[in-house]
Amino acid sequence: MAYFLQQIANAVPVAALYAMLAFGYAIAFSVTRRVDISYGAVFAFAGQMFILFADVGWNRLWLVLPAALGFGAVMALVYGLGVGLVVGRQVMRPLAFSSDNTVVVAALGVVLVLMEGARLASDTRSLWLPPLLNRPIELWGDPAFPVTLTVLQIINSALMAAIVIAGHVFLARSPWGRRWRAVCEDRNAAELCGIDSARVFLQAFALAALVACLAGILAAGYYGNMDFGAGLNFGVKVLFIAAIGGYASPVLSAAGGAALGFAETLWNAYGDFLWRDLVIYSALVLLLVVLRRERGIP
């Protein structure tokens, strides 16, 4: 029983990360209805910039560790949001309402550019952060097998959950959220009502990029590293993560992402690791086929 509870506890940070990624992705997807793997690349790029500039702050600017991490986080937000806005304005907006294939090809190009850009910026070095806030906190005091999480795991999970909740409240109650929902439902009808759908599209992409950047910073701080190939890996994974809860509602996509995080962690604990991705992705494909709903794109 204690081992099972520990695996549930271990799943919480992963579920929170997947929920946050799915939430941000659904914000942008809802206004385009086009598959976009570049979102995962923005997430990975922000994490890589965080680690790279934290290293610069520590080794070149001689900052203390908290200041170096803060410097890395600020620069990751600047670069990540900049990339998100450029991609949204110059790549995705011109192609968003054309053929699906053009968006997929363009998104793959963005992924490759960001992956190679991050690799060249760090001279192909794999940089690592020191362990941060790794003091274990006991959640269940079984003398034989105490259930614990580290301070950073708890903080990260709480921050990610708070971002999703705050984002949901913002979309549900703000005037911008009402304009966003109108464009998601029918952008042509929204324009007839005086809504600038192009501006809402860019703002939605910027908000999604902000969520991706924050997730990248928190994930890089937790894992201590962000691999150069993570952009493509997470780009594909986010598509399936968000699809579990359905793309129409970001909060449902977040719930689906959390469910996948728990399933993936439990498989790691009780199943064969080599078969994890095959089993998880096969189950997701089957789920998508069974629950598929045809919907016309305005």
Side-chain angles (χ1 to χ4, degrees), residues 121-179:
S122 60
D123 294 328
T124 322
R125 295 175 300 149
S126 184
L127 303 174
W128 288 83
L129 295 176
L132 302 172
L133 303 175
N134 58 348
R135 180 174 64 87
I137 294 181
E138 191 173 281
L139 303 178
W140 190 48
D142 187 336
F145 198 106
V147 178
T148 63
L149 281 178
T150 66
V151 174
L152 185 60
Q153 286 177 313
I154 295 174
I155 292 176
N156 266 14
S157 301
L159 285 175
M160 291 177 180
I163 290 171
V164 171
I165 294 171
H168 173 64
V169 172
F170 174 73
L171 292 177
R173 298 187 178 182
S174 69
W176 186 87
R178 289 192 292 271
R179 293 193 296 272

Side-chain angles (χ1 to χ4, degrees), residues 31-161:
V31 298
T32 64
R33 304 290 173 180
R34 295 291 188 269
V35 172
D36 178 13
I37 63 174
S38 67
Y39 180 79
V42 174
F43 158 77
F45 182 76
Q48 290 157 353
M49 291 301 100
F50 170 59
I51 294 175
L52 176 62
F53 280 101
D55 177 73
V56 170
W58 176 262
N59 289 313
R60 298 186 185 180
L61 302 180
W62 302 99
L63 300 175
V64 296
L65 183 59
L69 294 175
F71 175 67
V74 170
M75 297 307 295
L77 285 173
V78 171
Y79 275 80
L81 283 175
V83 165
L85 289 172
V86 170
V87 171
R89 182 180 182 87
Q90 304 298 334
V91 180
M92 293 304 164
R93 189 174 69 173
L95 301 176
F97 304 107
S98 60
S99 169
D100 287 345
N101 293 334
T102 59
V103 176
V104 172
V105 172
L108 181 58
V110 171
V111 171
L112 295 176
V113 169
L114 293 182
M115 285 170 50
E116 286 302 296
R119 182 184 67 81
L120 293 173
S122 60
D123 294 328
T124 322
R125 295 175 300 149
S126 184
L127 303 174
W128 288 83
L129 295 176
L132 302 172
L133 303 175
N134 58 348
R135 180 174 64 87
I137 294 181
E138 191 173 281
L139 303 178
W140 190 48
D142 187 336
F145 198 106
V147 178
T148 63
L149 281 178
T150 66
V151 174
L152 185 60
Q153 286 177 313
I154 295 174
I155 292 176
N156 266 14
S157 301
L159 285 175
M160 291 177 180

Side-chain angles (χ1 to χ4, degrees), residues 221-239:
Y222 172 56
Y223 292 108
N225 177 260
M226 187 67 72
D227 185 71
F228 300 124
L232 182 59
N233 180 36
F234 275 95
V236 175
K237 181 172 284 189
V238 167
L239 303 182

Side-chain angles (χ1 to χ4, degrees), residues 16 57 72 90 93 102 110 122 171 179-180 182 188 190 193 195 199 210 213 215 217 225-226 247 256 273 281 289 293:
Q90 304 298 334
R93 189 174 69 173
T102 59
V110 171
S122 60
L171 292 177
R179 293 193 296 272
W180 172 79
N188 293 324
C193 295
I195 296 175
R199 176 177 294 182
L210 175 61
C213 291
I217 293 169
N225 177 260
M226 187 67 72
Y247 294 115
F273 177 79
Y281 282 124
V289 171
R293 296 178 182 176

